Amino acid sequence: MLDERSNGRIKLQTYPSEQLAKEIEAIRMIQAGVIDMTTTSALLSNWTEIMTFCEMPFLMGSMEEADAMLNGPVGARINAEMITKTGLRPVGYFQAGPRHLTSNRPIRHPDDLSGLIIRIPSIPAFITAWDALGAKTTPIAFSEVFTSLQQGVINAQENPLPLTNMAAMYEVQDYVNLTSHNFGWTYPVIGEKTYQRMPADLQAIFLECAREMQVYERQLFTENDTKVRAALEAKGMEFIEVDRAAFVKKHGNAIYNTLSPAMKEVYLSLKDTIQ
């Protein structure tokens, strides 16, 4: 679309599966002007605290609640702080669906997490949440998760079902424990410096194409979401219903207690809206 609508003035080259860099390195490369775009989310909480809300365990209960937040004042604040504090401009968002824990033993209750070594992304809220639940957390780049599970360096990982399927986790994990601990999303972002170098007409074309990209992505996500559980079951994974209320209770105020006073206000405003 970019190529066609810009008459060849914009060409987008994609390098999937961390070919250019792991996520945090890609962010720094954009900030340095080496590459132009990536997809990212709560990892940006290393730069600005508001980004913690992108993937905060046990805050949201559905994708609809996440959509409402993103289209409200908190979502607008996130967008603004991404530009001013990280130098990345969000051009839309992709829903990731609920994140679930996979493992080689069934996990029905937080007590079952004892001794379990879980890979998590390098996101402070994830570390806080799973530590509070009694697991042992190990931040590892996603590209290294399969091998780490294969070698027994870690025992479990957590991700949305489409990513679990895409990464063939069914080859090294037996159970999907339906924790629904997080309803997150990913931002496709462009470096603000790159964006500002574009003439006004190309900026308009770029943002127009990005809006259509988001609509198309949601269509693809919805179509895939109805198929992915069946695909994982067909490949041998067993789905385990968990006592989610027990997870929420044990997690308690673990993340809330780590927030600054300003972010505690945001947290409580979201809880009031959701309830």
Side-chain angles (χ1 to χ4, degrees):
M1 283 164 39
L2 285 171
D3 191 0
E4 180 182 329
R5 295 184 192 179
S6 70
N7 293 318
R9 294 164 67 199
I10 302 177
K11 293 186 183 294
L12 182 65
Q13 295 176 305
T14 58
Y15 297 86
S17 305
E18 299 184 339
Q19 288 179 46
L20 296 181
K22 293 178 173 60
E23 185 178 343
I24 198 161
E25 295 164 349
I27 292 165
R28 292 179 175 135
M29 288 170 74
I30 291 174
Q31 291 168 334
V34 178
I35 62 176
D36 299 312
M37 296 186 70
T38 191
T39 55
T40 187
S41 191
L43 194 60
L44 293 179
S45 61
N46 291 290
W47 280 267
T48 175
E49 192 178 10
I50 192 71
M51 299 304 297
T52 301
F53 289 92
C54 296
E55 293 195 24
M56 188 172 283
F58 303 109
L59 176 63
M60 304 288 176
S62 69
M63 284 174 55
E64 289 72 24
E65 289 177 1
D67 279 331
M69 189 200 91
L70 285 163
N71 293 302
V74 175
R77 180 173 173 180
I78 289 172
N79 288 353
E81 292 201 15
M82 285 176 72
I83 294 170
T84 58
K85 296 188 176 181
T86 74
L88 305 178
R89 173 179 287 265
V91 298
Y93 70 89
F94 298 157
Q95 277 283 13
R99 296 178 80 104
H100 302 296
L101 180 71
T102 71
S103 60
N104 284 325
R105 67 174 193 246
I107 306 293
R108 294 183 170 86
H109 189 276
D111 292 348
D112 298 330
L113 293 170
S114 179
L116 196 72
I117 304 172
I118 300 177
R119 175 271 173 182
I120 55 166
S122 185
I123 297 170
F126 278 46
I127 298 170
T128 299
W130 288 104
D131 283 350
L133 289 168
K136 296 180 180 179
T137 56
T138 302
I140 296 175
F142 182 71
S143 57
E144 300 170 12
V145 173
F146 185 93
T147 304
S148 297
L149 286 166
Q150 202 172 37
Q151 296 174 347
V153 176
I154 53 176
N155 313 126
Q157 64 92 40
E158 53 76 53
N159 262 303
L161 294 185
L163 202 55
T164 295
N165 185 48
M166 182 198 76
M169 296 300 178
Y170 48 82
E171 294 183 5
V172 287
Q173 298 273 265
D174 296 329
Y175 298 96
V176 176
N177 309 285
L178 296 169
T179 48
S180 298
H181 54 274
N182 177 266
F183 289 84
W185 56 92
T186 298
Y187 289 104
V189 297
I190 186 170
E192 181 64 4
K193 292 177 182 177
T194 299
Y195 177 76
Q196 293 300 339
R197 283 198 300 270
M198 292 183 187
D201 65 323
L202 290 187
Q203 287 181 349
I205 289 169
F206 184 85
L207 295 180
E208 175 189 71
C209 290
R211 284 190 292 271
E212 294 185 34
M213 172 187 66
Q214 178 171 316
V215 173
Y216 179 57
E217 189 278 338
R218 181 61 66 91
Q219 175 189 329
L220 293 176
F221 175 86
T222 303
E223 291 171 357
N224 186 58
D225 196 46
T226 60
K227 303 172 185 175
V228 68
R229 175 166 176 164
L232 288 170
E233 288 177 325
K235 290 163 183 169
M237 296 196 85
E238 183 178 344
F239 282 68
I240 304 295
E241 295 293 339
V242 309
D243 185 348
R244 192 173 188 274
F247 278 82
V248 172
K249 182 178 180 180
K250 187 165 184 179
H251 173 266
N253 291 323
I255 291 176
Y256 176 80
N257 291 336
T258 68
L259 300 174
S260 68
M263 292 302 106
K264 284 181 178 179
E265 288 184 18
V266 175
Y267 184 95
L268 292 175
S269 73
L270 285 172
K271 293 294 277 187
D272 288 343
T273 302
I274 292 167
Q275 292 170 356

